Amino acid sequence: MNIERLPKIELHCHLDGCVRVETMYELLKEQGDIENIELEDFRNLASIMGECNSLIEYLERFKYPGKVMQTKENLERITYEVLEDMHRENVVYAELRFAPYLHMEKGLSFDEIMESVIKGMERARESFDIIGNLILIAMRHEDEENSINVAKQGEKYLGKGVVGFDIAGNEADFPPKIHEKAFRFAKEAGYKITIHAGETGVVSNIYDAIELGADRIGHGIAAIKDKLLMEKLADEKIALEMCPISNMQTKSVENMKDYPIKTFLDKDIEVTINTDNRTVSNTSLTKEIEFCMKEFDLNETDILKVLENSANASFANEDDKNKIKNIIRNI
Ligand SMILES: [Zn+2]
């Protein structure tokens, strides 16, 4: 099976973690934010090129994309290019997530940000026939007022490019419950819900996320510690968005041989495989799948099951979902 040519689906992918390195380099130079550094050296600052020793080292990579994602033109271009890069490895459907409030440093309004990203996504669909959708993120360390506002301001884009709502950031100190009202509002408004939970070992965050109406869980690795929870995830068909290489780099599990992806699949949990941050993690869906086949003995049948899970768990509208399912069915 040629993994690169295999049609693929990306459900967990942060826009700011996927900015093309060459573009970031060009834009930072133009802005005068970097000087006297060669592209190849910059690549080491933007991506984890070898071993990653800590979460801090990982998070440091996000300092650069934030600087170049503050204008309409750049947001549109970056979104378009991320989808172009995905298309090059035959990703047929992608959900990109981002926190609109992180792109207001130079005065862009919420609507300007949304319209730019949506435009980039629509242009990519015209050029490459890749279907895209957006998930809005609220930062979990911000107060509830803030997350409610993200959901409220984004509401008018539902069905026009936006499909989901999520919270991200420091999971250990800021459990999903803090944002309960935001999730209730979002669910009611028609957003699909995914919540980063159980990435750093906190089982209760996964229970909370389910209670808050999560349709999918971001990462969910900690579920391995709780048999009942695993059964619940399988029974209720709550898909897990796993991101193996990112999880390895941030040391989400102490020993990678204990990474539970195979166990989850064997327990009929709807596992999906994703990149999290293509540039920061220096990865692609091809690499993630090959990594899982090599390290965790996933076979071709497992990979096809994962793709089927991704199609089923996608937040696409019915038309698009049928298109994606057909593509996967015909592999
Ligand atoms: Zn994530």
Side-chain angles (χ1 to χ4, degrees):
M1 189 157 65
N2 180 333
I3 305 299
E4 195 172 9
R5 293 324 308 153
L6 187 72
K8 291 179 284 297
I9 296 169
E10 172 82 274
L11 299 181
H12 189 123
C13 180
H14 295 259
L15 189 58
D16 59 352
C18 299
V19 185
R20 201 181 275 172
V21 175
E22 292 77 5
T23 301
M24 204 159 22
Y25 181 76
E26 178 197 316
L27 296 172
L28 285 167
K29 273 205 137 170
E30 248 173 54
Q31 292 177 189
D33 283 321
I34 48 166
E35 285 168 38
N36 302 327
I37 181 165
E38 294 299 320
L39 174 62
E40 283 320 301
D41 294 325
F42 175 71
R43 201 177 290 281
N44 281 304
L45 299 177
S47 295
I48 302 285
M49 298 306 286
E51 269 283 291
C52 178
N53 297 310
S54 68
L55 182 62
I56 294 169
E57 226 176 79
Y58 190 84
L59 294 176
E60 267 175 8
R61 265 71 184 175
F62 285 94
K63 141 174 124 194
Y64 298 103
K67 289 182 197 282
V68 298
M69 298 175 78
Q70 305 295 340
T71 68
K72 291 195 275 185
E73 299 72 29
N74 290 1
L75 282 170
E76 183 189 332
R77 172 181 173 183
I78 285 164
T79 308
Y80 180 86
E81 288 180 351
V82 169
L83 290 161
E84 181 177 26
D85 290 344
M86 290 180 173
H87 166 71
R88 284 185 182 153
E89 59 155 346
N90 209 14
V91 173
V92 294
Y93 175 77
E95 287 172 14
L96 303 173
R97 60 186 75 196
F98 72 109
Y101 289 178
L102 296 181
H103 306 287
M104 293 176 166
E105 283 171 19
K106 289 187 180 163
L108 286 185
S109 69
F110 187 93
D111 289 333
E112 285 172 324
I113 293 162
M114 292 308 301
E115 279 155 22
S116 308
V117 173
I118 290 172
K119 206 163 152 197
M121 198 169 71
E122 284 174 350
R123 268 209 304 127
R125 186 166 182 165
E126 276 165 36
S127 304
F128 314 116
D129 206 21
I130 181 169
I131 306 172
N133 272 316
L134 301 173
I135 295 170
L136 300 185
I137 295 180
M139 300 308 294
R140 55 203 318 156
H141 63 270
E142 300 281 357
D143 58 30
E144 198 176 40
E145 192 69 30
N146 198 288
S147 48
I148 294 171
N149 282 338
V150 174
K152 277 192 176 161
Q153 285 189 283
E155 190 181 0
K156 68 175 176 189
Y157 298 99
L158 277 171
K160 300 186 177 93
V162 171
V163 289
F165 184 73
D166 177 26
I167 48 168
N170 177 347
E171 186 198 331
D173 296 325
F174 302 94
K177 263 189 196 154
I178 301 176
H179 300 279
E180 180 168 357
K181 282 196 192 122
F183 285 111
R184 302 263 177 248
F185 172 85
K187 193 94 188 167
E188 189 91 339
Y191 286 90
K192 294 283 187 180
I193 306 288
T194 175
I195 302 180
H196 278 79
E199 178 180 4
T200 53
V202 190
V203 179
S204 62
N205 280 350
I206 304 178
Y207 276 109
D208 281 4
I210 296 172
E211 208 188 299
L212 292 171
D215 300 284
R216 300 194 314 238
I217 302 286
H219 303 286
I221 306 162
I224 192 68
K225 299 181 192 170
D226 188 324
K227 200 167 164 279
L228 282 177
L229 178 54
M230 284 193 276
E231 283 169 19
K232 191 175 170 69
L233 289 166
D235 288 348
E236 297 180 23
K237 295 193 180 305
I238 297 169
L240 298 186
E241 305 158 357
M242 302 194 82
C243 310
I245 291 177
S246 159
N247 295 151
M248 174 179 69
Q249 292 169 336
T250 62
K251 311 256 186 296
S252 290
V253 289
E254 217 164 286
N255 195 331
M256 221 33 202
K257 76 170 178 27
D258 299 326
Y259 194 67
I261 192 163
K262 182 81 175 161
T263 312
F264 287 165
L265 275 168
D266 291 344
K267 293 196 179 292
D268 287 327
I269 295 174
E270 303 220 341
V271 169
T272 69
I273 296 177
N274 310 278
T275 62
D276 213 5
N277 300 293
R278 293 176 164 250
T279 299
V280 171
S281 284
N282 184 31
T283 191
S284 65
L285 263 185
T286 306
K287 277 194 193 176
E288 299 285 343
I289 292 172
E290 285 173 346
F291 179 76
C292 287
M293 294 179 86
K294 185 166 172 276
E295 299 295 325
F296 314 120
D297 286 332
L298 265 55
N299 57 31
E300 292 189 1
T301 314
D302 294 326
I303 298 304
L304 293 176
K305 176 77 177 100
V306 164
L307 289 171
E308 190 192 318
N309 290 343
S310 299
N312 288 333
S314 83
F315 294 160
N317 65 33
E318 218 184 300
D319 264 9
D320 287 341
K321 202 166 185 159
N322 285 334
K323 261 185 219 159
I324 307 160
K325 280 187 179 171
N326 262 329
I327 294 171
I328 301 302
R329 218 175 280 136
N330 289 321
I331 288 174

